[in-house]
């Protein structure tokens, strides 16, 4: 279809019907075992428009997915064998779960159950996954932190700008993982845009106005 039927307007390409793919595997093997996610969760997918392929990779739609520039690695989310939602990385037909920062857990989405961490993005080179993790206080904001994961450094919490009793989250990351952006809550609850450059946090401002 053509948007508004105007010359030069973008053309929308319709994805294959995912329902017709139900017979395809939605439970790729993980590092620990083979498993099938609960029927109540919605699996993630990878659609390659140029290749004309549509692959259901499993997991669930907590947090959000991200994909590396070469399309080979996907930051996703998965219900583990213990029934807990965790951030995951899809590669070579597998969903693997990086170690969580803690074992606090939070139950906010009854449909998905308890959650340790949610992935929100992956670097272009596929080396760094970022997102949100729940700490010892569970859903309490004082231990909700943005995190980053690398194979070399594991999962680490990102430093807050200030207001340690408030939450933060990492939303996206640049190609090599050196710059991460997200939000950082102030003591008064204001949600502020933040950037972590080589791990150091700073607020995103323009003319002394805070962004988000």
């Amino acid at each position: 279809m053509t948007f508004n039927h105007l010359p030069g307007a973008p053309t929308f390409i319709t994805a294959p019907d995912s329902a017709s793919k139900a017979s395809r595997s939605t439970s790729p093997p993980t590092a620990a075992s083979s498993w099938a996610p609960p029927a109540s969760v919605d699996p993630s997918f990878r659609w390659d428009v140029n290749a004309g392929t549509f692959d259901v990779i499993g997991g669930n739609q907590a947090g959000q997915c991200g994909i590396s520039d070469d399309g080979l690695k996907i930051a996703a989310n998965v219900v583990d064998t213990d029934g807990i939602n965790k951030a995951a990385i899809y590669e070579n037909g597998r969903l693997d779960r990086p170690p969580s920062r803690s074992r606090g857990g939070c139950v906010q989405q009854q449909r998905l159950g308890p959650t340790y961490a949610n992935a929100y993005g992956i670097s272009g080179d596929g080396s760094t996954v970022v997102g949100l993790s729940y700490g010892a206080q569970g859903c309490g904001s004082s231990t909700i932190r943005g995190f980053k994961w690398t194979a070399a450094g594991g999962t680490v919490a990102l430093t807050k700008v200030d207001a340690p009793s408030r939450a933060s989250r990492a939303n996206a990351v640049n190609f090599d993982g050196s710059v991460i952006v997200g939000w950082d809550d102030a003591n008064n609850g204001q949600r502020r845009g933040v950037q972590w450059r080589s791990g150091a946090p700073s607020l995103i401002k323009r003319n002394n106005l805070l962004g988000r």
Side-chain angles (χ1 to χ4, degrees):
M1 70 181 71
T2 302
F3 187 69
N4 286 345
H5 305 286
L6 297 176
T11 299
F12 291 91
I13 303 173
T14 303
D17 181 6
S18 60
S20 67
K21 307 293 183 179
S23 61
R24 302 185 64 167
S25 173
T26 59
S27 55
T30 67
S33 62
S34 296
W35 53 275
S40 62
V41 301
D42 302 316
S44 301
F45 65 85
R46 176 175 56 191
W47 176 26
D48 188 325
V49 176
N50 293 326
T53 57
F54 187 95
D55 301 311
V56 177
I57 68 171
N60 64 58
Q61 294 180 11
Q64 64 187 35
C65 292
I67 190 167
S68 60
D69 283 13
D70 60 12
L72 298 180
K73 292 184 179 180
I74 298 174
N77 298 279
V78 70
V79 179
D80 206 345
T81 53
D82 57 8
I84 296 175
N85 287 275
K86 300 173 184 176
I89 301 172
Y90 180 83
E91 183 182 17
N92 297 325
R94 303 168 64 96
L95 272 171
D96 292 333
R97 294 93 64 203
S100 296
R101 176 176 68 90
S102 70
R103 291 293 184 269
C106 175
V107 181
Q108 286 186 321
Q109 305 177 65
Q110 295 298 327
R111 183 177 66 89
L112 296 177
T115 299
Y116 281 164
N118 292 140
Y120 275 82
I122 190 171
S123 58
D125 64 4
S127 67
T128 306
V129 173
V130 300
L132 175 148
S133 62
Y134 296 97
Q137 296 296 320
C139 298
S141 63
S142 62
T143 57
I144 297 175
R145 293 289 182 268
F147 77 84
K148 78 168 185 177
W149 173 91
T150 62
T155 303
V156 297
L158 296 168
T159 305
K160 285 270 296 172
V161 173
D162 53 24
S165 65
R166 294 289 183 167
S168 65
R169 188 177 78 191
N171 292 338
V173 57
N174 72 339
F175 179 82
D176 64 3
S178 61
V179 181
I180 299 169
V181 295
W183 51 257
D184 182 300
D185 283 353
N187 277 322
N188 64 3
Q190 180 184 12
R191 189 147 289 177
R192 308 165 298 179
V194 64
Q195 59 182 336
W196 291 271
R197 292 182 176 270
S198 299
S202 62
L203 298 178
I204 298 173
K205 297 181 180 181
R206 182 175 182 182
N207 298 328
N208 291 322
L209 296 176
L210 291 171
R212 174 182 170 183

